[in-house]
Amino acid sequence: MVNDKKTCLIQQPAGLGDIFFLQKVASHFISNNYHVVWPVLDSYSWVIDYIERDGITFCSEEEDFPYKEYYNNRNLIIKEDFTYIPLECADRILNISPMKAKYPLVYLSSDGWQEHFNFKRNMQRESALREKLNIDEGDEFVFVNDMLGSPPSVFQRPMNIPDGCKVIRNSFDFQPFDYCWVLENAKEIHTVETCFCYIIEKLNTTDKLFMYSRMVNGKQQHADFSYVDFIYGKKWETIQ
């Protein structure tokens, strides 16, 4: 870490979609001479292998990191050489819905967040995944992600997928970024509103995109999709 830089500590250890969506916040502080420290769940420590950028350090919450004594505080802290941003708690601080609270907490707009979310692809792992899924050149298939949540709390959302097509389903044997080739070549994409939606925003995919509501044990987490209606640029068909 460069000594003449200030430190910005971000508290948003999960979910993955939130971390992807909020990369513009990191960009803002990096451009203002901060080094960003971003602890994540230990199960997400692999993210450093895909998101590499100057000015930001991802680490596990279990590690020691600068200003850890302030971490999990539910208040925004601004000092001369240090800023702590509890993005995970933004909704409780501003008393508005979680996704709509995060950028206003730091007086920013989320517009153009996609330009700040960049990742490195691991073509070897993408190829290994394709081989494991038994996808041959020219195969037509539908990609389905019916899983939501952060480990160990993972839930399956029921879906009615059309018959008569090869179905490729998400599993947790590979990381979401390793599905980039699959996402780029799928005839249709059916997914719960999860981190895959953010990755799809960055890829050249089919326009047959179906986004399913977040459902846990038969109960809807949200009444509709208004909590994310400002996020996605692609035209998704939403299914409640």
Side-chain angles (χ1 to χ4, degrees):
M1 187 178 299
V2 181
N3 291 331
D4 64 349
K5 288 184 178 291
K6 300 173 284 187
T7 298
C8 173
L9 177 61
I10 290 180
Q11 190 240 4
Q12 181 68 61
L16 283 175
D18 299 61
I19 293 169
F20 300 163
F21 174 56
L22 292 167
Q23 289 304 300
K24 184 180 175 182
V25 174
S27 294
H28 170 77
F29 282 90
I30 291 169
S31 68
N32 282 279
N33 203 41
Y34 282 84
H35 185 93
V36 174
V37 178
W38 198 318
V40 297
L41 295 181
D42 192 50
S43 57
Y44 289 159
S45 58
W46 52 263
V47 76
I48 191 174
D49 296 329
Y50 297 85
I51 302 179
E52 292 182 356
R53 47 186 308 197
D54 293 337
I56 184 169
T57 298
F58 287 103
C59 59
S60 168
E61 283 188 310
E62 306 303 317
E63 299 176 29
D64 288 328
F65 49 82
Y67 299 99
K68 189 170 184 176
E69 64 271 23
Y70 293 99
Y71 195 70
N72 284 328
N73 192 305
R74 294 190 176 187
N75 298 305
L76 186 69
I77 299 172
I78 302 175
K79 297 179 179 287
E80 184 177 352
D81 60 351
F82 168 66
T83 295
Y84 168 71
I85 312 172
L87 289 171
E88 190 177 48
C89 306
D91 56 323
R92 282 165 276 180
I93 296 171
L94 299 182
N95 197 30
I96 54 178
S97 66
M99 296 306 289
K100 292 186 175 180
K102 296 181 188 296
Y103 275 90
L105 184 65
V106 288
Y107 303 99
L108 292 175
S109 166
S110 64
D111 291 351
W113 66 267
Q114 294 93 332
E115 299 170 18
H116 302 266
F117 171 43
N118 297 297
F119 50 87
K120 179 177 66 175
R121 292 175 62 167
N122 186 325
M123 305 311 292
Q124 185 175 358
R125 286 182 60 86
E126 289 187 33
S127 178
L129 175 60
R130 179 180 171 185
E131 184 176 346
K132 179 178 180 178
L133 295 173
N134 194 29
I135 303 175
D136 295 324
E137 194 70 37
D139 280 357
E140 287 195 349
F141 61 90
V142 170
F143 174 73
V144 173
N145 168 47
D146 55 5
M147 312 293 275
L148 67 150
S150 298
S153 300
V154 176
F155 304 92
Q156 187 171 29
R157 198 259 196 230
M159 292 183 179
N160 293 320
I161 305 302
D163 294 329
C165 58
K166 183 174 184 176
V167 175
I168 301 297
R169 294 184 181 272
N170 168 42
S171 74
F172 287 98
D173 296 330
F174 285 76
Q175 310 304 354
F177 290 118
D178 298 330
Y179 284 84
C180 285
W181 184 93
V182 173
L183 295 170
E184 288 176 328
N185 288 275
K187 184 178 179 181
E188 296 181 6
I189 296 175
H190 297 254
T191 177
V192 184
E193 194 278 309
T194 64
C195 68
F196 278 102
C197 300
Y198 296 84
I199 295 173
I200 290 164
E201 286 284 306
K202 296 288 293 186
L203 300 176
N204 182 19
T205 68
T206 177
D207 58 1
K208 294 181 179 179
L209 301 171
F210 301 88
M211 182 187 297
Y212 293 72
S213 60
R214 298 175 63 88
M215 185 182 295
V216 175
N217 296 330
K219 295 182 179 180
Q220 298 282 359
Q221 286 191 327
H222 304 279
D224 51 38
F225 288 88
S226 60
Y227 73 104
V228 290
D229 60 6
F230 64 102
I231 293 179
Y232 300 112
K234 292 192 173 185
K235 293 182 179 179
W236 292 82
E237 181 174 333
T238 55
I239 299 167
Q240 191 73 17

